[in-house]
Amino acid sequence: MTAALGVDPFNFIVFGGTGDLAIRKLMPAMLFSECDGRLPEKSGIIALGRRDLSQKDYASLVRKGCEKHMTDNPFSEENWSAFAKRLHYIKLDVKEPADFNALIEKLQINPDFIRVYYLATHSSLFGEIGDRLKEAGGIHDRTRIVLEKPLGMDLESAQKTNESIARNFSEE
């Protein structure tokens, strides 16, 4: 039994999964949640990036980042093993609509799970990512999106970014 009482299984999908934010902050936070038993049993973590990495190479990258940045909570091999089983890497270039097919195929394994898209990319890509997800069928009523700030370079670009996201995601 997990300590994640009341939390439905979800897929946490990270655009920019090989970047500094993902390796230094997001993955250690997710592993910390694993160590504390707060992740629902069947939940998955799907990292997306342009780099050509195997699952093993990506897991190694994440492990090194977690070992370096999780100084307050060293993890056990048992926790790492459980976490690594949740971790999936898909090569995806936002500019290539066909690349979204592998992501959607992975998500269809558990089509009713909550989908949390975390956009750890430049804000200029937010709208395009939303458009591609919609075109590929990657958005449903249990989809959530998290945007990494800043949302633009100034008020005008922030408003444009917000409008581009609103094309595919409601604020609710």
Side-chain angles (χ1 to χ4, degrees):
M1 178 102 177
T2 181
L5 299 175
V7 177
D8 290 336
F10 59 87
N11 281 310
F12 184 70
I13 304 108
V14 182
F15 284 84
T18 61
D20 183 63
L21 175 67
I23 301 303
R24 189 171 42 89
K25 297 288 186 181
L26 298 177
M27 295 305 165
M30 296 302 285
L31 178 54
F32 187 83
S33 293
E34 177 76 52
C35 294
D36 281 357
R38 291 182 285 159
L39 295 180
E41 187 177 324
K42 295 181 181 180
S43 293
I45 300 163
I46 303 168
L48 309 169
R50 293 179 293 173
R51 293 170 58 184
D52 192 14
L53 296 172
S54 68
Q55 295 297 324
K56 183 178 178 181
D57 289 342
Y58 185 71
S60 177
L61 177 69
V62 170
R63 182 177 179 130
K64 286 175 188 169
C66 289
E67 287 172 341
K68 182 177 181 181
H69 299 291
M70 283 183 70
T71 57
D72 291 343
N73 184 21
F75 53 91
S76 68
E77 286 301 318
E78 181 181 350
N79 286 332
W80 172 255
S81 178
F83 181 75
K85 289 177 185 170
R86 298 178 187 275
L87 195 58
H88 305 278
Y89 179 76
I90 298 173
K91 182 180 177 191
L92 184 143
D93 184 339
V94 171
K95 302 289 185 184
E96 297 294 332
D99 282 3
F100 282 75
N101 295 337
L103 170 60
I104 301 309
E105 185 177 312
K106 183 73 173 168
L107 293 173
Q108 288 306 322
I109 294 171
N110 297 300
D112 297 327
F113 276 23
I114 295 169
R115 295 177 184 173
V116 180
Y117 293 109
Y118 195 109
L119 279 54
T121 64
H122 193 276
S123 62
S124 64
L125 297 174
F126 291 175
E128 188 169 3
I129 290 170
D131 292 344
R132 299 277 186 256
L133 287 170
K134 184 174 183 176
E135 291 165 7
I139 301 172
H140 60 46
D141 63 343
R142 299 187 80 200
T143 297
R144 307 293 181 259
I145 188 166
V146 179
L147 307 176
E148 186 57 39
K149 47 183 192 177
L151 296 185
M153 304 306 289
D154 54 24
L155 178 60
E156 182 181 346
S157 61
Q159 289 171 329
K160 285 182 181 179
T161 298
N162 196 46
E163 290 167 8
S164 71
I165 287 298
R167 287 192 304 258
N168 299 301
F169 297 94
S170 68
E171 215 166 306
E172 294 80 37

